[in-house]
Amino acid sequence: MTITVVMGSQFGDEGKGKLTDILAPKAQLCARAAGGHNAGHQIVPSFFKELQELEDKGLKNVRDKILVSDRCNIVLDLHVAVDGLEEVELGARQIGTTRRGIGPTYACKHARNGIRLAEIFDPELFERKLRQLEQGYRKRFGDLLKYDVEDELKRFETYRAELAKYTVDSTALMYQAQKDNKAILVEGANFVTSSSTTIAGIINGLSLNPRGLTEVIGVVKAYTTRVGAGAFKTEDTGEAHQPAVEDDADGELFEIGQSWILLMMGRLDLVIVRYSNSVNYYDSINLTKLDVLDTMETIKVAVAYKLDGEELPSYPADLDALERAEVVYKEFPGWQKSTTNCKTWYDLPPKARDYVEFIEAFVGVKIKWIGTGPDREAMITRA
């Protein structure tokens, strides 16, 4: 039995899917983990849309291969409506969520009034719980809540029969897969979200035997990006040259529904990466998008935070301290040569290798894969 876990190590959008795609042909079971038992979330219309997109790309028997845990919490249209209102309510302190309803869904999960997939197959139970949720939010937001509970109930009459074929007891499934010594590949969610995306959350959420973990891989972008509000200590505000745009895997802007969310870019923050390693204990790292830095004359990397002149031992929990902290940078000369589609370690310019080796030494984890472009084949594998 092998269990390989691919995890995001920054704010998300690290490029986890590429390595997952490369490793998937050797796996017998692939799992997506949002983290935390009973914590998976699923937006039903998006689920069916994704299946159709896979079929349109020519993948065969897609609907026979995808299963959804009966314990996952369902993201309702009600949650989506509430997500936007909660952001407005926070005003200047808003989180900057994607407004897809994920935060309110997890809030309901922890408050024990969320709706799990298994519960939609009991129409009376589903209706009672949905109406209770709607009434609670209506008391809080009043006429600001633009939501039709009757419309959602009607849609689930259609979803109910269709979802039944994909619903499975994931605990029993994963236990049997491990008992049968299946090769399991797990892709975790990004490190910053409403769920528990640590290795502990993945073990719990997928009922994995922790003694069976073969390799835990942290995926690290060669710089830092994030969406949303809040402290972004290494954001490049323009005083230094920054890459003009990411490759097609992310883009500088990405679409959420009918709006566009800015993907803010900044220098690589190794304080965050080392912190995520101290939580997850990576066996190896996949450094992605190295080629995006090819044109930079100087590359600055965050190696510490200082507060009132004292270096902080780790990424601070106190948001006020984080806001006031000063970033300590180390500068590297840019290699200013193309690394796009490099296939071996020695194809990289010496200065690019120096950059990689510093990250490796600072974090204390071997960099086993290096992404050098958007193509699937643009990946260096180091022994």
Side-chain angles (χ1 to χ4, degrees), residues 47 51 54 61-68 165-167:
F47 172 70
L51 292 181
L54 291 172
N61 304 318
V62 170
R63 296 176 190 268
D64 298 328
K65 298 178 180 178
I66 293 183
L67 300 171
V68 183
K165 67 183 75 171
Y166 304 106
T167 304

Side-chain angles (χ1 to χ4, degrees), residues 105-217:
T105 302
Y106 278 105
C108 286
K109 170 192 174 293
H110 291 293
R112 302 180 184 179
N113 58 11
I115 299 176
R116 295 186 296 170
L117 181 57
E119 294 172 321
I120 74 167
F121 301 110
D122 182 335
E124 291 184 5
L125 174 64
F126 174 71
E127 180 174 352
R128 175 175 58 80
K129 295 191 73 172
L130 180 59
R131 289 191 185 279
Q132 285 177 341
L133 280 177
E134 190 267 346
Q135 289 167 9
Y137 284 129
R138 188 74 67 186
K139 289 177 181 177
R140 176 178 174 185
F141 295 110
D143 292 339
L144 293 175
L145 179 61
K146 307 301 181 185
Y147 169 75
D148 187 340
V149 67
E150 303 299 336
D151 186 50
E152 183 130 62
L153 286 168
K154 184 176 180 180
R155 280 199 303 279
F156 269 88
E157 290 177 7
T158 303
Y159 296 152
R160 194 168 284 119
E162 186 66 18
L163 282 170
K165 67 183 75 171
Y166 304 106
T167 304
V168 65
D169 181 339
S170 61
T171 301
L173 174 74
M174 296 303 293
Y175 179 82
Q176 190 62 47
Q178 291 169 91
K179 187 177 180 181
D180 294 341
N181 293 317
K182 299 285 188 183
I184 299 170
L185 176 63
V186 179
E187 181 184 340
N190 53 286
F191 195 61
V192 181
T193 185
S194 299
S195 60
S196 176
T197 58
T198 63
I199 189 63
I202 289 172
I203 289 170
N204 174 250
L206 287 172
S207 304
L208 297 176
N209 181 349
R211 293 180 292 274
L213 293 178
T214 309
E215 187 170 19
V216 179
I217 305 164

Side-chain angles (χ1 to χ4, degrees), residues 241-244 291-297 335-337:
H241 172 69
Q242 70 175 44
D291 58 299
V292 174
L293 305 181
D294 285 351
T295 61
M296 298 185 70
E297 296 179 6
W335 43 91
Q336 296 188 289
K337 294 180 181 178

Side-chain angles (χ1 to χ4, degrees), residues 210-229:
R211 293 180 292 274
L213 293 178
T214 309
E215 187 170 19
V216 179
I217 305 164
V219 182
V220 178
K221 196 177 286 187
Y223 48 101
T224 306
T225 60
R226 64 161 292 172
V227 298

Side-chain angles (χ1 to χ4, degrees), residues 220-223 247 287-296 299 335 337-340 342 345 348-349 351-353 355-356 359 369-373 378 380:
V220 178
K221 196 177 286 187
Y223 48 101
D247 61 48
L287 186 69
T288 64
K289 303 179 185 295
L290 184 68
D291 58 299
V292 174
L293 305 181
D294 285 351
T295 61
M296 298 185 70
I299 302 171
W335 43 91
K337 294 180 181 178
S338 176
T339 63
T340 302
C342 283
W345 173 244
L348 295 176
K351 291 178 181 178
R353 297 201 300 269
Y355 184 72
V356 173
I359 297 169
W369 295 272
I370 304 168
T372 56
I380 294 171

